[in-house]
């Protein structure tokens, strides 16, 4: 009898242990899913005190002769670049709003401290004699860093926006500062594309590892139209429908531009309203390109080991798993436009324009085109309707604007 009771107790103990293990595993899985959906939940608190301390350390390094940049004097001496508020800290990235000579700007850095960036090996080896390094050797190092960041081999002639310029007093500090910026992929994208694209932010200047870009109000899922349109459409309704249609056309222009106007297609792997802003003329601007990749880098990222298609999803960029070799395909099977249709256009054209002055038939055609845009066609999951859907959307949005202009008369 006692033996039976002992066996039952042992079984109960094992059962309780298994239940506890299952409960723990469930919470671990839930936490992992939460972090994947909301990576900022464990981010540092974005406080004014911490932000001011970061900028004070930057100025201390500047005054100590460790770094320099064309914004350092205004930030650290003249008081012409004034901190206003912290926008966010996420995974080490610092984004601060400031006022520069009356103009709102954003200061960005991938890391908090200048010392967090690995130094350029050539400088460490040469000490104070870095001036003697041949220009060709330094350009080769810069080109290698750009290739590492973008996956592209670029000619030396295109490196001008990334290069500290002529050698002279403080040149070593300039080079060290430029090296810290070169290790930030977003800075490299903005610098190289600013003269080639109106859909990215230009770099306005830098101090050490922080660089400044224009401040534009980002989109947010909390806005009814995803972007702050109060100035363009203070009364909502028809004015908002007109603004949304113009912004949608600018998104199409950006998609076409990123697909065709560079030497390689530019893939956006994190498409959400928060990563875009709208200028006063309704031009869409990508304000966060940490997850943007040219085709060679995209192929390198996607081509990973897998046991199913879900292993081949890199944020908004999807590939397919070849189960014969358990390898993800290097070719992306969805597109920038497909994700924009899904995450932005679908919100607009299922709600924002519902009560507008656009004829019902035209609204239905727009909604149908959005459904076609978000759909994946074919058994392989490839998006075969891309060109047709792009031009259909463009034609319908232009027709929408014409209808709204007619109604205004």
């Amino acid at each position: 009898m006692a033996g039976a009771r002992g066996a039952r107790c042992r079984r109960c103990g094992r059962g309780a242990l298994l239940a506890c293990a299952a409960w723990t595993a469930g919470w671990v899985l839930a936490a992992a899913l939460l972090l994947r959906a909301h990576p900022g939940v464990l981010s540092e608190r974005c406080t004014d005190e911490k932000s001011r301390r970061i900028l004070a350390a930057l100025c201390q390094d500047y005054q100590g002769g460790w770094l320099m940049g064309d914004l350092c004097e205004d930030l650290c001496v003249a008081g012409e670049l004034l901190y206003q508020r912290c926008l966010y800290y996420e995974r080490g990235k610092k984004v601060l709003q400031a006022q520069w000579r009356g103009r709102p700007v954003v200061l960005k850095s991938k890391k908090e401290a200048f010392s967090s960036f690995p130094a350029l090996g050539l400088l460490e080896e040469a000490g104070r004699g870095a001036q003697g390094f041949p220009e060709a050797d330094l350009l080769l190092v810069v080109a290698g860093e750009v290739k590492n960041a973008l996956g592209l081999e670029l000619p030396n002639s295109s490196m001008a926006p990334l290069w500290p310029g002529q050698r002279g007093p403080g040149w070593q500090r300039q080079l060290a500062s430029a090296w810290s910026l070169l290790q930030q992929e977003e800075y490299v994208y903005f610098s190289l594309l600013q003269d080639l694209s109106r859909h990215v932010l230009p770099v306005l200047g830098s101090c050490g590892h922080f660089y400044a870009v224009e401040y534009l109000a980002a989109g947010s899922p909390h806005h009814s139209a995803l972007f702050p349109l109060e100035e363009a459409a203070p009364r909502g309704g028809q004015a908002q429908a007109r603004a949304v249609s113009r912004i949608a056309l600018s998104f199409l222009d950006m998609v076409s531009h990123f697909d065709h106007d560079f030497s390689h297609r530019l893939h956006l792997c994190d498409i959400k309203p928060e990563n875009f802003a709208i200028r006063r003329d309704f031009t869409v601007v990508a304000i966060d390109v940490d997850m943007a990749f040219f085709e060679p880098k995209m192929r390198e990222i996607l081509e990973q080991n897998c046991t199913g298609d879900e292993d081949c999803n890199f944020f908004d960029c999807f590939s397919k798993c070849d189960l014969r070799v358990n390898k993800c395909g290097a070719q992306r099977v969805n597109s920038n436009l497909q994700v924009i249709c899904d995450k932005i256009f679908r919100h607009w054209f299922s709600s924002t324009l519902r009560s507008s002055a656009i004829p019902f038939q035209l609204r239905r055609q727009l909604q149908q085109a959005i459904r076609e845009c978000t759909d994946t066609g074919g058994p392989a999951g490839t998006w075969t309707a891309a060109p047709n859907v792009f031009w259909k959307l463009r034609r319908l949005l232009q027709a929408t604007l014409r209808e709204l202009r007619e109604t205004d008369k």
Side-chain angles (χ1 to χ4, degrees):
M1 193 71 151
R5 277 200 303 270
R8 279 199 300 272
C9 286
R10 284 193 296 273
R11 284 197 298 271
C12 289
R14 284 196 298 271
L17 186 61
L18 288 172
C20 181
W23 180 85
T24 304
W27 274 108
V28 169
L29 178 61
L33 292 173
L34 177 65
L35 285 173
R36 183 170 182 177
H38 304 284
V41 294
L42 294 183
S43 296
E44 306 169 69
R45 287 188 60 216
C46 189
T47 66
D48 287 338
E49 180 185 0
K50 178 74 178 290
S51 302
R52 292 183 190 280
R53 194 160 65 243
I54 289 170
L55 294 180
L58 176 69
C59 287
Q60 189 174 357
D61 283 345
Y62 168 63
Q63 288 156 351
W66 294 103
L67 57 82
M68 62 188 307
D70 50 5
L71 294 181
C72 290
E73 279 290 307
D74 281 357
L75 175 66
C76 304
V77 180
E80 296 281 2
L81 180 56
L82 299 172
Y83 168 82
Q84 288 188 310
R85 65 186 176 118
C86 177
L87 295 177
Y88 68 84
Y89 302 158
E90 186 174 342
R91 298 188 294 276
K93 184 177 181 181
K94 313 301 179 193
V95 183
L96 315 174
Q97 186 177 341
Q99 196 82 1
W100 181 39
R101 301 183 180 183
R103 176 183 185 179
V105 297
V106 174
L107 295 173
K108 290 185 155 192
S109 176
K110 190 176 181 178
K111 297 180 181 180
E112 176 179 326
F114 184 68
S115 59
S116 299
F117 292 91
L120 178 57
L122 290 176
L123 291 183
E124 290 186 330
E125 293 169 13
R128 292 293 171 183
Q131 295 266 12
F133 265 92
E135 189 84 1
D137 289 355
L138 289 168
L139 281 172
L140 195 62
V141 173
V142 173
E145 192 64 20
V146 170
K147 184 179 180 182
N148 181 56
L150 306 188
L152 299 179
E153 292 188 13
L154 300 177
N156 289 351
S157 58
S158 65
M159 301 293 176
L162 304 172
W163 196 236
Q166 293 183 338
R167 305 188 186 203
W171 180 82
Q172 186 168 340
R173 282 175 287 154
Q174 278 187 301
L175 189 58
S177 301
W179 186 245
S180 71
L181 293 169
L182 273 170
Q183 294 171 69
Q184 304 183 55
E185 292 87 349
E186 185 176 73
Y187 171 81
V188 176
Y189 274 108
F190 284 157
S191 297
L192 292 178
L193 298 182
Q194 61 186 0
D195 294 327
L196 304 175
S197 175
R198 61 186 187 137
H199 292 291
V200 298
L201 289 170
V203 174
L204 304 176
S206 65
C207 179
H209 58 301
F210 271 89
Y211 58 97
V213 294
E214 176 186 6
Y215 172 78
L216 292 172
S220 167
H222 302 300
H223 292 296
S224 61
L226 300 182
F227 297 95
L229 301 180
E230 290 77 12
E231 289 186 21
R235 298 181 304 279
Q238 193 167 314
Q240 189 178 79
R242 184 163 49 247
V244 163
S245 299
R246 291 183 65 180
I247 295 167
L249 281 168
S250 186
F251 265 111
L252 292 183
D253 180 73
M254 183 188 73
V255 164
S256 178
H257 174 53
F258 286 175
D259 279 355
H260 304 295
D261 292 352
F262 305 130
S263 57
H264 295 280
R265 179 170 294 178
L266 182 60
H267 297 274
L268 304 177
C269 293
D270 188 16
I271 292 175
K272 56 187 177 184
E274 299 93 315
N275 288 345
F276 299 94
I278 312 299
R279 294 193 188 278
R280 289 181 179 274
D281 64 355
F282 301 107
T283 298
V284 173
V285 181
I287 60 173
D288 189 325
V289 293
D290 279 337
M291 297 289 286
F293 307 97
F294 283 108
E295 182 72 26
K297 189 77 170 181
M298 186 81 264
R299 296 175 71 87
E300 179 185 319
I301 291 169
L302 290 176
E303 201 170 22
Q304 304 295 329
N305 295 330
C306 62
T307 57
D309 287 346
E310 65 278 2
D311 297 330
C312 302
N313 295 348
F314 183 77
F315 295 86
D316 290 326
C317 294
F318 300 163
S319 178
K320 300 287 287 183
C321 183
D322 186 344
L323 294 175
R324 295 170 299 177
V325 293
N326 292 113
K327 198 85 170 174
C328 297
Q331 185 70 40
R332 184 183 177 188
V333 297
N334 66 343
S335 71
N336 291 338
L337 180 58
Q338 186 177 14
V339 183
I340 287 169
C341 283
D342 184 35
K343 294 193 170 183
I344 295 175
F345 287 6
R346 187 159 61 173
H347 173 88
W348 282 339
F349 299 104
S350 63
S351 59
T352 307
L353 300 184
R354 186 174 292 163
S355 60
S356 70
I358 304 170
F360 175 72
Q361 185 62 28
L362 184 53
R363 291 206 308 272
R364 280 190 59 187
Q365 289 177 317
L366 271 169
Q367 291 165 359
Q368 176 59 33
I370 300 301
R371 283 193 292 272
E372 289 179 38
C373 182
T374 57
D375 191 25
T376 52
T382 53
W383 193 51
T384 55
N388 291 339
V389 172
F390 176 90
W391 293 110
K392 182 186 291 187
L393 279 169
R394 192 169 183 271
R395 175 177 55 79
L396 290 171
L397 288 167
Q398 289 171 337
T400 298
L401 286 174
R402 283 196 299 271
E403 286 287 344
L404 290 170
R405 279 196 292 267
E406 286 297 320
T407 307
D408 283 344
K409 292 179 180 178

